[in-house]
Amino acid sequence: MLIKNLEKLRKRTLRKRIYEEVVRLILAGELPSGGWVDEKRVIDKLRVSRTPFREAIGILAKGGLVEIKPYRGFYVRSFSRSETADLYELFKRLECFAVELSVPQMSDHDIGQFENILSEAVVALQRADLKTYAVRDREFYENIADQSGNSALIEALARVALQIQLCGTMASVGPEFAERAAHGCDDIIQAFKARDTPRAAFLVRGRISHTQEAILASFPDEAASR
C-alpha cells in the first residue's frame, strides 16, 4: 500500500511539474498564443514521457489554456477582443469579492506589503519596465486573493488570471496611464488603511478597468473587421 501511494504521489508530482513547465513556456512566448504545440519537441525538451505530458495537457485544457483538436493535436488558446473583455469583467467581479473578504482582516503589516508591491509597480511603470510592472501587478492581485482565505475563490482567480495573461500585454503606455496608475495606487492603500472595504473594492475595480482599456486598445476593432 505504501509503495502504491508513493507511486501515485510521484505521478502526481511529475504531472504538476510538466503542467508548470508548459505554462511557463506559454507565458514566455515559446509556445505562442494560437500556435500548435509540437508534442515531441516539448516532450524532448522536458525529458518526460508521453503519458504524463498528455495528462498535464488535459489539465491545461480544463483550465482554458490549451485546446485539444481531434486529429490535429494541441493548440495554445488564443482570445478574441470580446473574449478578453468578458474575462476582464469576470476578473473584476472575482477580485472585488476577494477585496471584500480580505480588507477586514488585513493587518498593518499586510497593508505595508501591499504598499511596497504597488510602489515597485509604479516605479517600474514610470521607467517603462512593463515586464516588472506586470509581475508586481499580478503579485498584488494574487496576494489579495490569498488574503481572502477562500480556497475556491483563490482557485477561480488563478485560472482567470492565467487566461488573461494569454489575452495580450501592453506594448507601450503613455504618461497618462502611468500617472493615473500611480494616483490609483495611493488611493487603494489609503482605503486599505482605513479598512474602507466598499471604497477599496471600487478602486481595485477601477484599476483593473484601466488595464483592461489598455489591453483592449491593442486589439483590432472586431466590428470594423466584419
Side-chain angles (χ1 to χ4, degrees), residues 18 22 37 52-62 66 68 74:
I18 296 170
V22 175
V37 177
F53 172 78
R54 291 202 164 185
E55 289 174 348
I57 286 291
I59 298 171
L60 287 162
K62 288 180 181 178
V66 168
I68 300 176
F74 314 124

Side-chain angles (χ1 to χ4, degrees), residues 187-198:
D187 288 345
I188 288 171
I189 294 302
Q190 291 307 313
F192 283 178
K193 289 180 177 178
R195 306 306 193 276
D196 188 340
T197 302

Side-chain angles (χ1 to χ4, degrees), residues 15 27 31 50 65 68 75 109 120 134 138 153 169 193 201 203:
R15 187 166 60 239
L27 297 182
L31 296 175
R50 194 180 199 186
L65 295 183
I68 300 176
Y75 289 78
H109 176 71
E120 290 174 8
R138 286 197 302 272
L153 179 59
T169 57
K193 289 180 177 178
L203 292 169

Side-chain angles (χ1 to χ4, degrees), residues 57-220:
I57 286 291
I59 298 171
L60 287 162
K62 288 180 181 178
L65 295 183
V66 168
E67 290 181 285
I68 300 176
K69 298 184 179 182
Y71 310 110
R72 295 175 61 189
F74 314 124
Y75 289 78
V76 178
R77 188 172 172 188
S78 61
F79 293 88
S80 67
R81 189 181 191 280
S82 61
E83 288 172 329
T84 299
D86 288 345
L87 276 174
Y88 267 100
E89 290 304 317
L90 176 59
F91 184 63
K92 279 187 279 192
R93 290 184 179 274
L94 292 175
E95 195 66 42
C96 286
F97 181 36
V99 169
E100 291 170 4
L101 294 177
S102 63
V103 168
Q105 54 187 341
M106 283 183 185
S107 67
D108 291 341
H109 176 71
D110 294 329
I111 294 171
Q113 289 184 315
F114 281 116
E115 190 168 14
N116 289 337
I117 292 169
L118 289 179
S119 295
E120 290 174 8
V122 168
V123 169
L125 191 58
Q126 290 171 340
R127 65 170 183 261
D129 181 357
L130 295 180
K131 184 176 180 180
T132 299
Y133 173 77
V135 170
R136 293 292 173 264
D137 195 53
R138 286 197 302 272
E139 187 180 359
F140 172 70
Y141 295 123
E142 287 170 358
N143 284 6
I144 290 177
D146 290 342
Q147 188 82 35
S148 76
N150 186 309
S151 59
L153 179 59
I154 292 168
E155 183 178 344
L157 272 168
R159 175 176 172 173
V160 175
L162 275 176
Q163 291 179 346
I164 279 178
Q165 288 182 65
L166 284 184
C167 292
T169 57
M170 294 177 289
S172 61
V173 295
E176 182 183 344
F177 182 96
E179 183 179 346
R180 183 175 168 185
H183 183 69
C185 290
D186 290 339
D187 288 345
I188 288 171
I189 294 302
Q190 291 307 313
F192 283 178
K193 289 180 177 178
R195 306 306 193 276
D196 188 340
T197 302
R199 179 162 173 74
F202 173 78
L203 292 169
V204 167
R205 181 182 181 86
R207 176 180 170 80
I208 297 171
S209 292
H210 189 37
T211 303
Q212 178 185 10
E213 292 168 7
I215 295 295
L216 293 180
S218 66
F219 281 82

Side-chain angles (χ1 to χ4, degrees), residues 4-15:
K4 189 174 182 180
N5 288 339
L6 287 173
E7 180 63 17
K8 285 183 179 179
L9 179 61
R10 187 192 69 79
K11 288 181 179 179
R12 188 162 59 246
T13 303
L14 177 60
R15 187 166 60 239

